[in-house]
Every structure is written in structure tokens, then in C-alpha cells.
Amino acid sequence: MPSTKYLLVAGARPNFMKIAPIHRAFSSKRNGGSPADLLLVHTGQHYSRNMSDDFFRDLSIPEPDINLEVGSGSHAEQTARIMIAFEPACLEHRPDWVIVVGDVNSTLACAITAKKLGIRVAHVEAGLRSRDMSMPEEINRLCTDAISDLLFTTDPIADENLRKEGVVGEKIHFVGNTMIDTLFHLISRARELPLPDGFIPGQYAVLTLHRPANVDSTDRLALILGAINTIAERLPVIFPVHPRTAPRLKALELHPHIRIVDPISYLPFLGLIAHSRMVLTDSGGIQEETTVLGIPCLTMRPNTERPITCEIGTNVLVGTDPRRILHEANMILDGHTSSGTIPDKWDGHADERIVDILYNQPLRPPCLVCA
Ligand code: UD1
């Protein structure tokens, strides 16, 4: 009997830590004698060494079986290029399932392509909602969830979001967080790495900024960095700069205690946040990682699709008003912090739950469109 065939898709930096444990869980099932055919697809949405290759190395992800090499472009260009390149890959390999993760353009493009070919789609990290339709990721999340056959969620709030949108209960599986699987897998190695010269554990902040709403306008970026300049008077800041942010940074003046560096790969970055006093960010995943590490996090956005990190974790949504950012940073520096608690099922085993559920899906004859 032929084994079930899966295509596991990754495209952009935050996808890589989400697919690594799923790939590993499939491999250990196979080593245990359960057959499955898994091919890894890299769309090439991110392609630079420090946005992609370094992550594959740190996360021990093997070379992709298929690389679509789509590169950058406008949203329509990038999404369309991924769909055009992914369709022939699906037709050639005829998977039973396409597994997509997260909320980037690759997630949406591959989900739509597969679904229109009659291939079943599983979405890992389903049900997150910021309710902010100006975020491209929110559109990707809504559309991907609407057409997926299996929805793997990271917390009960996501389950509730999906149910309110009319998704039937059998599709939804609360499994935990594969990004946190990766964190637990690698944290002890990450903690042992040396910090960049001059940085002392517990005595610096980490800053990341890459949301279009924050970095595509010099005025908005200047406002945020004005607050960071003031924080830097009390605490040195390390700022790994995303390629989207770099061009606009040149026009701005930064405090000498802010160290600008290139994007940092997974292991040293995890080590950097694990040893930090606080993190200031507009990232999604970092809100989750800091919650698990018990590191205070100030999220410089008006909303979050990950409210559980604010409700029980260490995350505070501060928006982009410099006074609010400063106030909350000073609170942390004055010792007013709580270590929070780790959300249920963020225990390092979401990958196994996902693969078990996939293995238990009923077999179906090949889809008509592919046949
Ligand atoms: C994408 C995701 C975002 C995620 C972020 C993490 C979407 C809609 N956005 O945003 O959700 O949080 O990745 O980084 O999918 N570039 C490089 N090298 C690369 C990739 C990009 O230099 O390997 C530069 C290019 O100039 C590109 C720009 O960065 O135009 C932005 O890249 P893009 O993938 O379009 O969006 P991100 O801002 O990275």
C-alpha cells in the first residue's frame, strides 16, 4: 500500500522554527517503522544567508527537497509567484496533505494552491487574530484558516476565534506551539553561546522592529527610536536590524548605547533574549518566546494576535506612543515585573501531537484535479 504523502512548506524566517520540530517528529515516526512520505518545500520568500540558510543550519533542518526560489516582491507579485511555482510541484508529487505554518505570504499562497487542486491542507498556528486588517498577516491568517481541513492551534483563545467564525469543531485541534518546541529543544545550547562583546547578562535590552506600519515611515520609526534613545541612557540596547528596516535607519540619529547589528541567526538570538533584561519588539513570535523565558517584553504595536502572552505571560502591549514605551520600560528597570506563567501545552511536544493527528486522518483516494 502506498504511504501517505505530505508536503511541508516554509518560506520566511519565522516559519523555520515552526517546521523544524514537525520535520523531526515525522522522521522519528518513520524510524519507528510508521511509513510516511514527507517532502520539504522552501518557497524562497526569504533567501539571504542571514534570513534563511543560517536558520536551516542552527535548526538542523535538512536541505529542502524543493526550492521555489521566488524571492521578494510586492504582496501580489510574491504571492502569485509562489502559487505559480507551487502548483507544478503539487502536480508532480501529488501529496495527500500540504502542511503550512504561520501567517506569511508563503502560508496563504501554498494553502490556496493546494486546496484548488483538491489536496487537503493542514494549518499549524491557526486561529490567531489581531482583528487588524491593515496587517498583511491577518489577511493571510483569515484566508488560510477559512480553507484549511485541519487547524492546529496554540491556545484556547484561537479555538474560540475559529468557532466564532463557524469552523466545525472536528477540524480544530489544540496542540500547543511548535515554535516553543524548538525553543525547549535548543535553549541550553543557546544559553551557552557568548554574548556580543561588551554585553553583560541581565544588563541590556534587545530591540527588533520590522512591521511595515512601524518601519516603512521614517516619521513613525523616528518616534519609536526617540523613546529607545531615552531608554539607552539607562540600559544598553542591541538592535539586530531587519532588511526592511535598514534603509530608513540611515537618516536617524541613535544613542551611542544602541548597538546596530545585522540579523542574527536562531541560536545566538535565542541566547541574546534569554540573557536580556527586557525585549522591545513588534514581532509576533518573540512575544511567545519571552513569555516562555520569563523575560519582560514590550510589544510596540496597537494590537496582538497573541493575547495569551499579555493575559498570563510577560508581554505588555505598549503601542507606539513614546511616553507609554518609556513609562513601561522604566517600570521594568525599577523592578516592577512579573515572571508570568507558561501557557498550557507549550511544553515541547506540539510536534508529536500534530504528527499523531495527521497519521490518524482517514485515507482518501487521490483528488480528481491531480489525477
Ligand atoms: C515577512 C512576513 C512577516 C514576518 C517577516 C519576518 C509576509 C506578509 N510578511 O515580512 O509576517 O514577520 O517576514 O522577517 O509574509 N529581504 C532581504 N533578504 C531576505 C528577505 C527579504 O533582503 O531574505 C528584504 C527585501 O528587500 C524585501 C524586504 O526585506 O523586499 C521585506 O521582505 P518580505 O519577505 O517582503 O517581508 P518581511 O518584512 O520580511
Side-chain angles (χ1 to χ4, degrees):
M1 197 180 73
S3 62
T4 308
K5 194 165 195 173
Y6 304 86
L7 293 188
L8 176 61
V9 176
R13 185 170 65 172
N15 289 166
F16 304 140
M17 33 289 213
K18 295 169 193 167
I19 61 133
I22 299 174
H23 194 277
R24 219 176 26 250
F26 265 106
S27 302
S28 59
K29 275 263 187 209
R30 275 200 307 258
N31 293 341
S34 305
D37 202 353
L38 179 75
L39 293 180
L40 183 57
V41 181
H42 190 332
T43 66
Q45 175 174 346
H46 283 173
Y47 45 84
S48 304
R49 181 188 51 73
N50 58 17
M51 298 291 284
S52 177
D53 302 2
D54 290 350
F55 283 77
F56 272 65
R57 185 205 56 221
D58 276 9
L59 299 166
S60 304
I61 308 172
E63 280 287 305
D65 300 288
I66 302 163
N67 196 329
L68 306 178
E69 296 183 337
V70 298
S72 300
S74 70
H75 284 276
E77 283 167 345
Q78 192 173 60
T79 310
R81 279 210 294 267
I82 298 167
M83 291 174 73
I84 291 167
F86 189 55
E87 186 176 58
C90 287
L91 289 171
E92 183 187 342
H93 296 284
R94 299 179 175 220
D96 299 281
W97 285 92
V98 165
I99 307 165
V100 295
V101 299
D103 56 15
V104 302
N105 287 343
S106 302
T107 312
L108 172 67
C110 293
I112 295 179
T113 307
K115 192 69 188 169
K116 287 199 168 179
L117 288 171
I119 300 164
R120 285 177 287 175
V121 175
H123 183 206
V124 175
E125 201 187 81
L128 298 185
R129 298 288 181 268
S130 66
R131 309 287 173 210
D132 177 354
M133 291 297 275
S134 71
M135 280 180 84
E137 293 84 358
E138 183 71 358
I139 300 168
N140 294 343
R141 291 180 202 117
L142 280 162
C143 298
T144 304
D145 286 343
I147 59 171
S148 290
D149 300 275
L150 276 180
L151 296 140
F152 293 116
T153 61
T154 50
D155 66 54
I157 304 171
D159 289 30
E160 189 56 27
N161 290 338
L162 292 168
R163 277 196 292 269
K164 280 188 192 147
E165 287 166 20
V167 178
V168 291
E170 307 88 82
K171 287 188 180 181
I172 306 170
H173 297 269
F174 168 36
V175 290
N177 192 323
T178 61
M179 190 176 227
I180 301 307
D181 294 350
T182 292
L183 184 150
F184 282 129
H185 190 62
L186 293 172
I187 185 66
S188 46
R189 272 178 63 198
R191 279 190 201 278
E192 280 164 18
L193 293 175
L195 293 173
D197 274 355
F199 287 91
I200 300 166
Q203 295 183 33
Y204 63 89
V206 180
L207 170 67
T208 82
L209 285 167
H210 78 283
R211 291 273 153 222
N214 284 344
V215 305
D216 285 2
S217 134
T218 309
D219 288 349
R220 170 66 68 87
L221 187 58
L223 211 62
I224 295 172
L225 288 174
I228 307 293
N229 277 339
T230 311
I231 294 168
E233 287 168 14
R234 289 188 73 182
L235 188 72
V237 177
I238 183 159
F239 183 13
V241 176
H242 187 282
R244 176 183 279 280
T245 314
R248 251 167 284 274
L249 213 53
K250 295 192 181 96
L252 301 172
E253 207 168 306
L254 293 181
H255 192 283
H257 291 163
I258 301 177
R259 173 135 9 129
I260 300 284
V261 294
D262 285 336
I264 300 177
S265 184
Y266 182 76
L267 277 173
F269 186 74
L270 185 60
L272 198 59
I273 57 173
H275 289 301
S276 71
R277 179 79 183 270
M278 75 171 98
V279 173
L280 298 117
T281 190
D282 60 6
S283 153
I286 294 173
Q287 298 171 47
E288 299 180 338
E289 290 165 335
T290 46
T291 274
V292 171
L293 294 168
I295 300 289
C297 178
L298 301 182
T299 296
M300 297 177 292
R301 289 174 39 190
N303 49 57
T304 177
E305 62 289 333
R306 292 162 162 93
I308 197 154
T309 60
C310 299
E311 286 173 17
I312 65 168
T314 57
N315 190 22
V316 180
L317 206 55
V318 291
T320 51
D321 177 352
R323 283 166 306 185
R324 177 87 203 278
I325 298 171
L326 262 177
H327 172 74
E328 294 294 340
N330 282 328
M331 293 278 283
I332 294 167
L333 289 174
D334 294 339
H336 305 293
T337 55
S338 119
S339 54
T341 49
I342 298 179
D344 189 23
K345 293 196 188 174
W346 292 20
D347 56 3
H349 300 290
D351 52 354
E352 294 152 29
R353 294 184 193 109
I354 288 170
V355 174
D356 281 344
I357 292 164
L358 282 167
Y359 264 72
N360 282 322
Q361 293 307 303
L363 289 174
R364 233 175 49 181
C367 63
L368 287 178
V369 192
C370 294

